[in-house]
Amino acid sequence: MSEQQTSRKIVKVGRVVSDKMDKTVVVAVDYLKPHPLYRKIIRKTNKFHAHDEENTCKVGDLVRIEESRPLSRTKRWKVIEIVQRGEE
């Protein structure tokens, strides 16, 4: 019996807002949500610290991140790929 385990990790796409740390980037993920009472669409932003092993990400890059085991006190995400390079 061979069973294939599929990865059920959460994947998000966001913009790099900081690359000042070594092997770590801060990624801002935006999403739209209606206000609970007034139903106006509100833009919400969450920031995630993500592991960037080769230090290839720069500020402004659009990246895809995936959840992982805790790598430090704040890092729980890894950069999978750079979707689009930012403006130089």
Side-chain angles (χ1 to χ4, degrees):
M1 273 191 343
S2 66
E3 292 183 11
Q4 287 187 345
Q5 193 102 4
T6 59
S7 175
R8 296 181 189 227
K9 296 180 179 178
I10 298 172
V11 176
K12 297 180 183 286
V13 177
R15 184 102 24 212
V16 176
V17 293
S18 174
D19 63 349
K20 303 239 185 269
M21 296 170 273
D22 186 34
K23 296 187 179 182
T24 304
V25 292
V26 179
V27 180
V29 177
D30 292 335
Y31 61 96
L32 301 175
K33 182 180 178 187
H35 187 277
L37 178 61
Y38 301 115
R39 299 298 178 210
K40 178 181 177 179
I41 301 297
I42 300 170
R43 181 181 307 273
K44 294 282 200 173
T45 303
N46 283 354
K47 290 184 181 178
F48 300 99
H49 288 109
H51 184 66
D52 178 23
E53 183 64 38
E54 288 87 30
N55 282 326
T56 54
C57 296
K58 302 294 178 207
V59 174
D61 291 351
L62 192 67
V63 295
R64 182 170 284 120
I65 59 175
E66 175 184 64
E67 71 174 343
S68 68
R69 65 182 179 83
L71 300 169
S72 72
R73 193 179 93 185
T74 57
K75 275 201 294 190
R76 271 89 172 118
W77 299 84
K78 286 184 183 175
V79 175
I80 301 172
E81 67 172 326
I82 299 173
V83 178
Q84 181 183 5
R85 284 285 178 188
E87 312 247 334
E88 295 288 325

